[in-house]
Amino acid sequence: MSLLTLEGVTGFYGGAQALFGLDMALSEGEVLALMGRNGMGKTTTVRAICRLLPRTEGRIVFAGQDLLSLPPHRAARLGIGLVPEGRRVFRGLTVEENLTVAARSGHWTLSRVATLFPRLAERREQSAETLSGGEQQMLAIGRALMTNPRLLILDEATEGLAPTVRAEIRSGLAALRDTGLSILLIDKSVAEIAEIADRIMLIEKGRAAWGGAPSELGPEIQHRYLGL
Amino acid sequence: MTRETALNLALALALPAFVASAYVAEEPFLITLATRAAILALAATGLNLALGFGGLVSFGHAAFFGIGGYATGILASHAQDYTPLMESPFLIEGTQAMLIHWPVGMIAAGCAALVIGALSLRTSGVYFIMITLAFAQMFYYFAISWPAYGGEDGLPLYLRSSFPGMNTLQPLPFFTLVFVVLILAIGFCGMLSASRFGLALHGARQTPARLVAAGIGPFGVRMTAFVISAMLTALAGSLFADLNRFVSPSMMSWHLSGELIVLVILGGVGRLFGPLAGAMLYVAIEHVAGGLTDHWQFFVGLLLLAVVLFARGGLIGLLAGERGHV
């Protein structure tokens, strides 16, 4: 059953159109990777789903609810956990405070997040801005999990991190996938995405251009849509 | 114990210690001076919740201070004239009881903050400052043109309002009452800032989009903080009316809004005891430098400049060193 459906979604930044009738569907428990070259509309798609885009038209349905009729925070409360681009932690708050500010009752608790990312447990009382880049990203994922989402959205979660940290975050995401959590992932590394994603969707100029399993993403398609 | 906690404790003890020595030295004026500092600290503690914790630079908190003052003034003036406040549809009598003045002033200010916040909290930056200022000026001019309660001349109160089991006309019991209220208010703000609401308010100040992603609407968080902030400032206004036994439109003037901002900045924006430190410093300068020259505010200006340039954390930040909770 489809958890998230986008039908003919158009999105605008002021007068500039960024999405041109995007169609997309994500099933319960599925890990979908959104890929495409820079400026093709990946982050805009995420912003449209999270109701953070100033103007969105079309139809976005999440868990049977029309998202476009809801204010952004209500959309999030339906169960969409966003890990935004960049390391978006609340500076000045400790690791624990960053996690508790978003907490809603459910499976994910402080101790479960600490089990997933043990480094966060070690730095529980530490101010978030003193964490390393990778730790901040783990914290951002942990904060999104604390909202006990049905869908976790990660926008370039491992961008700019050291390979060992990327691997650590990737193994965390694999563990999340194994719990049956639906994940929408934006990433640039085909090899890394192939390890986690069930399906890949390529975006070109604000439209869905190709969709299929990671194994089907041949060199020709990669060259055409990703410039690889 | 962190340096800031030790400093807070010292600050909390400094004012009662000063009052105790003034009492021993039989200097009731100094007790009144300390009471004035404590009341201004309470008003600034209210503002600090919006400004320091929520990042809402309200230039209209004098309106709430004045609403608290007029609640006391109006209720007390009817009690002293033996005239009812209202006869129909039901009878409302005046009263001298602080325990009625306080909630009336706080609820009235809370309602005013709901209206002001509904408009101003949709904006930010300079627009927020201007809208709050505009509303405060509206209240100011309304008070000036309200002859029933003194208009421009203000409203004198012959007695200080009463509190059960206390002779509030004596400087020492009145100071004690004000100081206990102040410490309770600071404690309440401390609990609030450490709560999930406080963390969300911090988030709303820093990056509203991140808060939205966590499923919390920044508008509601800011509005709640703004209303609580207004209510605390109104409580201070009510006590200020009793301290001076006089209420006037000047309690609502933009000078007072500015003064409250200065107190918060001097003490340390977003520091729990910042408003108390700021108010003590301000009243001390006012008293000492005011005895030497009429232009004592020149020295406050110099100090403010020094704080803004060299001690962003205010007096508390300068002495405690480390960053505050918010």
Side-chain angles (χ1 to χ4, degrees):
Chain A
M1 190 193 142
S2 188
L3 179 67
L4 174 74
T5 314
L6 279 75
E7 287 171 12
V9 172
T10 53
F12 301 82
Y13 287 103
Q17 189 166 358
L19 297 179
F20 295 83
L22 182 85
D23 296 315
M24 191 179 114
L26 186 145
S27 307
E28 191 96 52
E30 186 182 28
V31 179
L32 173 65
L34 215 53
M35 299 185 81
R37 278 180 292 218
N38 284 338
M40 288 298 154
K42 304 182 299 290
T43 295
T44 309
T45 306
V46 165
R47 290 179 64 83
I49 295 168
C50 296
R51 303 282 295 110
L52 297 173
L53 200 62
R55 190 176 143 207
T56 313
E57 287 162 12
R59 202 169 130 78
I60 304 179
V61 178
F62 177 75
Q65 290 250 21
D66 176 15
L67 286 189
L68 294 189
S69 63
L70 297 175
H73 68 281
R74 294 244 181 245
R77 267 192 225 170
L78 285 179
I80 300 175
L82 171 67
V83 181
E85 206 177 359
R87 278 140 223 151
R88 303 290 177 89
V89 295
F90 290 119
R91 287 171 284 109
L93 297 188
T94 64
V95 168
E96 186 171 331
E97 286 170 339
N98 258 278
L99 292 172
T100 47
V101 71
R104 277 200 296 279
S105 59
H107 172 80
W108 288 100
T109 56
L110 278 176
S111 60
R112 286 211 163 99
V113 170
T115 312
L116 184 69
F117 295 122
R119 284 201 206 198
L120 295 183
E122 292 162 20
R123 287 159 174 64
R124 204 171 162 143
E125 295 299 324
Q126 205 170 313
S127 190
E129 73 264 28
T130 63
L131 299 180
S132 72
E135 288 161 352
Q136 287 194 21
Q137 196 57 276
M138 290 173 200
L139 181 55
I141 297 172
R143 197 180 62 217
L145 288 174
M146 289 294 284
T147 66
N148 277 290
R150 289 178 71 180
L151 169 66
L152 182 67
I153 302 180
L154 299 117
D155 191 355
E156 311 258 12
T158 55
E159 178 79 0
L161 299 177
T164 50
V165 182
R166 289 170 80 99
E168 203 172 329
I169 290 180
R170 227 169 33 249
S171 77
L173 293 181
L176 289 175
R177 178 196 56 197
D178 296 340
T179 65
L181 183 67
S182 308
I183 300 175
L184 177 64
L185 196 65
I186 293 182
D187 209 302
K188 289 199 179 93
S189 166
V190 177
E192 289 179 10
I193 268 194
E195 282 181 35
I196 318 169
D198 299 315
R199 195 158 58 88
I200 292 175
M201 195 180 114
L202 299 179
I203 291 190
E204 172 105 323
K205 294 179 183 166
R207 285 189 189 90
W210 182 89
S215 58
E216 295 166 7
L217 188 69
E220 191 192 323
I221 298 168
Q222 287 190 35
H223 178 71
R224 186 168 161 194
Y225 294 111
L226 302 173
L228 299 173
Chain B
M1 192 190 285
T2 65
R3 269 171 74 181
E4 186 166 341
T5 316
L7 190 64
N8 289 346
L9 197 65
L11 273 169
L13 294 173
L15 211 54
F18 175 78
V19 166
S21 43
Y23 183 74
V24 171
E26 294 182 6
E27 291 279 4
F29 171 71
L30 292 180
I31 301 179
T32 302
L33 205 65
T35 312
R36 179 178 151 77
I39 293 173
L40 288 177
L42 177 62
T45 297
L47 176 65
N48 197 28
L49 191 62
L51 193 156
F53 295 68
L56 305 166
V57 186
S58 166
F59 204 7
H61 260 53
F64 309 127
F65 193 68
I67 287 172
Y70 270 91
T72 291
I74 291 170
L75 286 169
S77 70
H78 281 278
Q80 69 197 16
D81 296 346
Y82 300 104
T83 52
L85 192 67
M86 198 167 86
E87 281 178 299
S88 69
F90 43 83
L91 180 72
I92 299 180
E93 304 262 20
T95 172
Q96 294 277 13
M98 284 187 191
L99 288 176
I100 295 178
H101 294 174
W102 295 353
V104 168
M106 289 167 84
I107 290 168
C111 292
L114 271 177
V115 175
I116 298 173
L119 281 169
S120 62
L121 290 172
R122 295 180 194 284
T123 65
S124 59
V126 75
Y127 298 102
F128 180 80
I129 296 173
M130 285 299 124
I131 293 176
T132 48
L133 171 64
F135 268 105
Q137 287 301 95
M138 278 161 61
F139 278 99
Y140 172 72
Y141 284 110
F142 178 75
I144 279 187
S145 58
W146 202 9
Y149 297 108
E152 202 166 0
D153 296 333
L155 190 62
L157 308 171
Y158 303 122
L159 285 172
R160 191 167 280 161
S161 307
S162 59
F163 191 86
M166 214 172 236
N167 179 3
T168 52
L169 269 174
Q170 294 284 330
L172 188 62
F174 187 58
F175 168 79
T176 310
L177 180 65
V178 167
F179 189 72
V180 167
V181 170
L182 171 68
I183 293 300
L184 287 177
I186 292 176
F188 172 69
C189 286
M191 274 167 51
L192 213 59
S193 80
S195 70
R196 261 192 74 197
F197 168 78
L199 300 179
L201 184 61
H202 181 100
R205 189 191 70 207
Q206 206 181 83
T207 333
R210 265 170 244 177
L211 202 63
V212 168
I216 302 169
F219 183 80
V221 175
R222 286 186 181 132
M223 178 63 103
T224 310
F226 191 63
V227 169
I228 297 173
S229 156
M231 291 171 86
L232 287 178
T233 303
L235 178 59
S238 176
L239 290 165
F240 198 70
D242 269 326
L243 173 74
N244 299 323
R245 280 181 279 159
F246 181 65
V247 187
S248 80
S250 68
M251 281 181 80
M252 293 186 175
S253 82
W254 64 272
H255 300 94
L256 198 117
S257 294
E259 231 171 83
L260 294 181
I261 294 177
V262 167
L263 299 187
V264 173
I265 295 173
L266 278 182
V269 176
R271 308 274 182 157
L272 263 185
F273 279 75
L276 176 58
M280 283 163 64
L281 189 63
Y282 187 85
V283 172
I285 294 173
E286 184 185 40
H287 180 62
V288 176
L292 303 173
T293 166
D294 285 343
H295 308 292
W296 60 272
Q297 282 176 327
F298 172 79
F299 297 104
V300 176
L302 273 186
L303 194 66
L304 192 64
L305 209 59
V307 164
V308 171
L309 288 176
F310 306 114
R312 285 289 180 86
L315 197 63
I316 302 252
L318 189 70
L319 297 176
E322 74 262 33
R323 271 179 56 82
H325 177 70
V326 290

